[in-house]
Amino acid sequence: GGQAGPPHNNGGGEDAVVLVGAAYPFGPEGAAAGPKPLKVGSRKAFTARLAEHRARETDLPSLEAARRTKSPPSDVVVECATIVADLFDWIARTRRGMDVLERSALDVPDVARLIYGGMRSQFLEHFAEYIDRRAKQGKFPRPVDAYVSARLAVETVTWMARHRHGDADGGQMDDDVVRRTTIQLVTRAITGETHEPPA
C-alpha cells in the first residue's frame, strides 16, 4: 500500500496516541494515570503541545550547566560521567514514549522534523560543543571530530539504555550493570580516563 498520511483529529485519534507517548513516557501505567480525556485540537496546537512535552522531557541540566561554565571544574571526568549518566537515565525513562514517536515519525513529516531536526540535533550540537570546549581547554583528548564523537557516544548510550530491550540477548542483561558499564566506557572514550561509578 501507499505511505500513510498524517494522523487525523477525529476525536483524539492517532494524534492522541502520539501525545500519550510524548506526555507519558513512563509506559502504560503512567499513561493510565494521566488526565482524561486527552484532547487534540488543531494540527498547529497538536505539534505545539508535542514540542512542549518533549522539550520538558529532553532538558539535561548537567549538560547545560557544563556549557555555561567558562572554566572547567576540578574534576572533568566526574562532570562528563554525570552528563552521560543523566543521558542514560533520560533515555531509559522515556524509551517507550520515544518508541511511539519514532514509529510515528516514519509516516508523519512534522513529527519527524520535531524529533530529528529539533530535539536530537540540538542535543548533539550542545554535546559536541561541550566536548570541543573541554578538549581546547586541554582537559579531554583532542577528538578527530567533536560532533562524530558526540554522535558515537549518544548512539551507544541509546542502544544500551533503550534498544537493547528489544534484543533477545540484550534484554537479559542486568539493568544496573548495563548502566554502570555504559557510563564507565563512554566516559573513558570521551575523557581518556576511567570513572568508577559508586557501588
Side-chain angles (χ1 to χ4, degrees):
Q3 188 180 43
H8 301 290
N9 296 319
N10 50 356
E14 295 174 17
D15 281 3
V17 173
V18 176
L19 277 175
V20 167
Y24 309 113
F26 302 101
E29 298 81 7
K36 302 295 182 297
L38 184 57
K39 297 180 180 179
V40 178
S42 68
R43 188 68 187 176
K44 183 177 181 180
F46 160 72
T47 53
R49 187 171 179 184
L50 184 58
E52 178 188 348
H53 286 319
R54 299 318 300 170
R56 188 162 55 243
E57 284 295 328
T58 55
D59 182 36
L60 211 63
S62 57
L63 176 58
E64 294 311 305
R67 291 180 66 241
R68 288 193 300 268
T69 303
K70 294 182 179 179
S71 299
S74 57
D75 195 333
V76 293
V77 178
V78 169
E79 176 191 59
C80 182
T82 301
I83 294 169
V84 175
D86 288 349
L87 176 63
F88 186 102
D89 293 341
W90 175 78
I91 292 173
R93 187 176 71 247
T94 63
R95 64 184 179 86
R96 293 184 180 90
M98 287 304 295
D99 282 344
V100 171
L101 292 183
E102 287 196 356
R103 286 170 187 150
S104 299
L106 293 174
D107 297 319
V108 187
D110 54 358
V111 173
R113 283 193 299 272
L114 177 64
I115 295 174
Y116 300 114
M119 300 181 300
R120 188 171 72 172
S121 293
Q122 178 174 297
F123 178 82
L124 284 168
E125 288 172 5
H126 288 181
F127 197 23
E129 288 172 8
Y130 163 73
I131 293 171
D132 186 60
R133 179 184 299 173
R134 292 290 180 260
K136 287 178 178 176
Q137 291 168 336
K139 299 300 182 179
F140 290 172
R142 191 79 172 143
V144 174
D145 185 274
Y147 184 86
V148 174
S149 299
R151 182 67 185 267
L152 178 65
V154 170
E155 293 296 343
T156 301
V157 173
T158 300
W159 196 90
M160 298 305 289
R162 178 181 162 208
H163 295 305
R164 73 177 175 84
H165 292 282
D167 179 84
D169 296 327
Q172 302 302 313
M173 293 189 289
D174 180 81
D175 288 344
D176 182 62
V177 171
V178 168
R179 180 182 184 275
R180 286 159 53 84
T181 303
T182 302
I183 294 168
Q184 182 188 65
L185 294 183
V186 171
T187 300
R188 182 187 299 167
I190 294 171
T191 68
E193 299 184 40
T194 297
H195 169 71
E196 296 295 343

